[in-house]
Amino acid sequence: MFTDPICLNDSMCYNLNRYPQISDFLKYYPDICRVYESSFQFRFTGVLIINDIPVILFPKNYDIPESAMEKFKHAGIFVKVLLRYRDEPYHAESENQLLYGCGSDNARIAVAFQILEDYLANGILEREQISLSHTKSGRTDWGATIHTTIPMVNHRQILYDDTMIRIRKKDEENLIRKIHQYVVHEVISMWGWMYDVSMPANLSDAACLPCRERDAIVALCNELKQTYIQREIRLIKNMILYLTAKSGLENRMNQEILGTQYFSFVWEAVCGYLFHNKYLMIREIIPQPEWEGIDGKISQRPDILSVEAETLYILDAKYYDYNINLPGWHDVVKQMFYRHTIVHNLNSKIGKKLLPNVCAVKNVFLFPGEESERLKYLGCVKVKEDPELGEVKAYAINQWDAMKTYAYRNNDGYRDELFEILKRTC
């Protein structure tokens, strides 16, 4: 049965009676969901499977479309953003449990999309039955012929007038094939909406696993030892992960979660990708404060450093609704101090080595926006009495375009366009 997702916003209160499909299960998520007398409120951004229903928790500032078609489209891109972020090389330790789960707890989420994408590209695994026949036409199996028939000798030549023919036939009842059909059936039931895929007729009878999950996992492990085809190796490993997670869920009360309580980190990764973050390459350009006489550590670490022509941009990704909330004194002063110390370091030995052509350093806040413009200039903050501190300009990025580009990483033209707007207006 096709399962539509439930789409909600982080930190928003919802009536329990409005969501009876999941309301009885919310008590099992005390770390990320507050349940009140008649309402509930998630403190989490990401994906959960609750009572076998996908629940998509959008960020608190995200405008979820009203129409089902558009809602599912946005949910699909958002899930892909989370999966892409999950693959980033660095995460705060506090994020790891919800991003990766404990063991394989979120495998039904993390690998389901890979299984579905493999199916859409390659179909169901094919297996063959091989039989031998004396009567049918086809390719002669000389090994079987030599071992099972008596040849004739004619003029000192060995002749076989009753050869064995190898017959190949699709094995529709093959266990591995049936396991794959079952897993694909379940994945389409839960996630088909993400790819606009409905259940195909040839999978309508695959709603039940042909054996116990434990036996299916053993069969897949044995099959893995016998195949050398890379596509099959990846697929079988994913099916093992998927069924292992499902089996674990049935044996104990568990949670299937993929996401974060710190979506600002995801927004930073999105903006870093859009603006070609070079922080790791040029971070030595940032002078670091040091304690003297006291044993302590202190450092300054900008979100994003981007270089375009003769300008270094210090970008601070802020996941705020700028109509309600703007960066405060701490954030503004921090950006100005970054610029101040870097400007003074440009003429140093390390500055000339890392940024030989840079002669200007500019500060930028990046907010999510719903505007039609790719990148909209909002305004700036500065200390008028001290122009040497510079200013921090604020921009809103169309959030939908930004997340699509980050999810698929396939639109360099869009990224170049953002830089052109920034150069022209900053």
Side-chain angles (χ1 to χ4, degrees):
M1 184 178 178
F2 203 86
T3 306
D4 288 345
I6 295 174
C7 297
L8 308 172
N9 280 106
D10 172 26
S11 299
M12 186 173 290
C13 279
Y14 295 93
N15 193 302
L16 285 166
N17 294 331
R18 187 179 172 187
Y19 298 97
Q21 318 96 303
I22 63 171
S23 59
D24 289 341
F25 299 87
L26 296 176
K27 61 185 177 183
Y28 298 115
Y29 299 84
D31 294 337
I32 61 171
C33 183
R34 296 180 180 178
V35 181
Y36 307 107
E37 186 175 340
S38 60
S39 64
F40 65 94
Q41 179 187 43
F42 275 100
R43 294 299 181 93
F44 167 79
T45 302
V47 189
L48 301 91
I49 299 177
I50 304 178
N51 193 26
D52 271 345
I53 299 171
V55 179
I56 314 298
L57 274 301
F58 284 94
K60 63 182 71 174
N61 295 327
Y62 199 93
D63 187 14
I64 302 175
E66 290 293 330
S67 77
M69 183 178 296
E70 285 299 306
K71 184 186 298 183
F72 296 166
K73 185 190 300 183
H74 280 244
I77 292 296
F78 178 62
V79 173
K80 288 183 172 68
V81 165
L82 291 172
L83 290 169
R84 179 70 67 182
Y85 176 70
R86 185 176 181 265
D87 291 337
E88 293 283 356
Y90 304 104
H91 298 102
E93 189 173 341
S94 55
E95 290 186 286
N96 289 340
Q97 184 173 356
L98 296 181
L99 273 177
Y100 297 99
C102 302
S104 61
D105 291 355
N106 64 10
R108 278 217 302 171
I109 299 174
V111 304
F113 308 113
Q114 297 176 46
I115 292 172
L116 183 50
E117 288 170 1
D118 173 89
Y119 166 74
L120 294 175
N122 304 298
I124 294 295
L125 280 173
E126 295 291 351
R127 289 293 183 264
E128 293 180 332
Q129 283 182 326
I130 298 176
S131 60
L132 299 172
S133 173
H134 289 288
T135 59
K136 295 185 178 180
S137 60
R139 179 174 295 180
T140 299
D141 187 327
W142 285 109
T145 299
I146 292 169
H147 284 90
T148 61
T149 61
I150 299 174
M152 296 186 303
V153 179
N154 185 12
H155 299 290
R156 296 184 178 180
Q157 290 186 335
I158 297 175
L159 301 175
Y160 290 90
D161 65 347
D162 192 18
T163 56
M164 301 293 289
I165 305 302
R166 180 181 289 266
I167 308 298
R168 293 179 179 272
K169 180 184 178 182
K170 284 186 179 180
D171 186 0
E172 302 288 347
E173 299 302 313
N174 180 270
L175 179 59
I176 300 301
R177 176 182 171 83
K178 283 188 167 293
I179 293 170
H180 187 208
Q181 288 176 318
Y182 164 77
V183 172
V184 171
H185 181 284
E186 187 164 288
V187 168
I188 290 177
S189 295
M190 191 166 294
W191 304 108
W193 54 269
M194 273 185 60
Y195 298 83
D196 195 23
V197 176
S198 55
M199 190 66 67
N202 65 332
L203 293 179
S204 58
D205 296 330
C208 296
L209 194 60
C211 58
R212 294 184 306 170
E213 282 167 355
R214 183 187 305 171
D215 295 333
I217 293 168
V218 170
L220 289 169
C221 290
N222 290 335
E223 187 75 7
L224 193 58
K225 298 173 184 177
Q226 301 177 39
T227 184
Y228 299 95
I229 301 170
Q230 287 303 310
R231 178 245 169 167
E232 293 190 1
I233 291 172
R234 287 193 299 271
L235 175 59
I236 292 171
K237 285 182 176 179
N238 281 337
M239 288 197 290
I240 291 170
L241 280 172
Y242 186 91
L243 291 174
T244 300
K246 183 175 174 62
S247 176
L249 286 166
E250 290 186 355
N251 292 332
R252 65 188 187 276
M253 176 51 64
N254 211 336
Q255 300 173 346
E256 294 181 277
I257 299 175
L258 191 157
T260 178
Q261 289 179 298
Y262 309 95
F263 190 76
S264 58
F265 294 158
V266 182
W267 181 242
E268 180 183 327
V270 171
C271 293
Y273 174 73
L274 295 178
F275 289 94
H276 306 272
N277 190 4
K278 291 183 170 60
Y279 171 79
L280 291 176
M281 298 170 59
I282 60 175
R283 58 186 171 184
E284 291 180 67
I285 194 66
I286 309 165
Q288 296 297 332
E290 298 178 8
W291 282 103
E292 288 188 1
I294 302 176
D295 186 15
K297 290 185 178 180
I298 187 171
S299 64
Q300 55 173 347
R301 198 273 195 213
D303 286 354
I304 303 162
L305 295 179
S306 294
V307 180
E308 181 66 19
E310 298 178 344
T311 304
L312 169 66
Y313 295 95
I314 309 171
L315 306 169
D316 189 9
K318 293 294 185 189
Y319 199 79
Y320 296 167
D321 181 346
Y322 61 84
N323 295 299
I324 300 173
N325 189 20
L326 288 172
W329 173 254
H330 171 79
D331 292 310
V332 171
V333 171
K334 183 173 64 175
Q335 289 299 114
M336 290 180 172
F337 188 75
Y338 288 156
R339 177 184 175 277
H340 173 77
T341 56
I342 291 173
V343 165
H344 281 272
N345 210 26
L346 285 178
N347 292 322
S348 67
K349 183 178 179 180
I350 191 67
K352 291 177 180 179
K353 176 185 175 182
L354 294 175
L355 301 171
N357 300 317
V358 168
C359 58
V361 181
K362 297 184 178 181
N363 264 319
V364 174
F365 285 130
L366 296 172
F367 299 101
E370 307 300 331
E371 292 80 8
S372 58
E373 295 117 303
R374 299 286 205 196
L375 187 67
K376 179 181 179 181
Y377 174 66
L378 301 174
C380 70
V381 57
K382 57 187 175 182
V383 181
K384 293 181 180 179
E385 292 78 10
D386 195 345
E388 287 190 8
L389 291 175
E391 59 187 11
V392 187
K393 291 195 172 181
Y395 291 82
I397 306 175
N398 181 287
Q399 190 170 194
W400 170 241
D401 289 336
M403 294 211 307
K404 277 195 302 182
T405 304
Y406 176 76
Y408 291 108
R409 298 182 182 250
N410 63 351
N411 196 343
D412 286 337
Y414 168 72
R415 298 163 77 199
D416 294 339
E417 186 180 343
L418 290 178
F419 254 125
E420 285 301 316
I421 298 171
L422 191 62
K423 286 193 296 182
R424 190 170 65 248
T425 58
C426 189

